[in-house]
Amino acid sequence: MQVSPSELADRFTILLLKLAHGMDVHDELHAYQTALRDEGWWALPGMADAVVGLFAVNAAIWQLEWQVRQGREGEIGFEEVGRRALAIRDRNAERIRIKNRIAELTGSLFREQKTDHASAEEPHVR
């Protein structure tokens, strides 16, 4: 199964974050970077800005999640956990918009859409 350009870029930025946090992801990162280059997507006007934006959003999500991921909810309190959950929801909506922009830039037919999810751009009506 092929990975969409937007998903490839998303995974690439997450690998950059993992690398920055000391994880050994060099081989996987190189594979994603090569795929983006070989498809010619790096050279598309607007692509670099979109990937930088995607990296920024993923970095913000990472920062919001890190204490919760480590089981430290008690240190920050449940009110803060709730605040972070809402902030993560908002960042995920931004992430979806950027991924769909990358799909436009690359001519991909794949568009990400959330249904019955608070980060959906348009709520699903039942």
Side-chain angles (χ1 to χ4, degrees):
M1 180 171 136
Q2 284 188 316
V3 176
S4 70
S6 58
E7 188 62 23
L8 191 66
D10 190 44
R11 290 180 189 182
F12 175 75
T13 63
I14 291 168
L15 287 170
L16 286 173
L17 287 166
K18 288 181 175 184
L19 183 67
H21 286 88
M23 298 177 198
D24 183 13
V25 294
H26 290 90
D27 292 342
E28 192 175 359
L29 183 63
H30 178 70
Y32 281 90
Q33 186 175 18
T34 299
L36 287 163
R37 184 195 64 227
D38 289 354
E39 292 293 334
W41 294 327
W42 277 132
L44 294 172
M47 184 64 157
D49 290 338
V51 172
V52 168
L54 194 55
F55 177 83
V57 168
N58 280 329
I61 291 169
W62 184 293
Q63 188 63 31
L64 288 165
E65 289 179 336
W66 80 269
Q67 284 182 308
V68 176
R69 279 195 318 261
Q70 294 180 359
R72 296 183 175 173
E73 300 88 358
E75 293 176 22
I76 60 175
F78 290 119
E79 186 175 314
E80 179 63 14
V81 171
R83 186 194 69 74
R84 288 178 188 214
L86 293 174
I88 290 166
R89 177 204 58 202
D90 294 344
R91 298 308 180 290
N92 271 322
E94 186 178 350
R95 181 172 165 240
I96 290 167
R97 281 191 295 277
I98 294 170
K99 287 176 73 174
N100 286 338
R101 175 67 181 136
I102 290 170
E104 283 177 29
L105 291 170
T106 60
S108 172
L109 298 177
F110 177 81
R111 299 291 189 276
E112 189 162 333
Q113 180 179 0
K114 298 289 186 186
T115 304
D116 290 335
H117 190 273
S119 67
E121 290 187 31
E122 296 182 29
H124 177 72
V125 179
R126 291 179 191 212

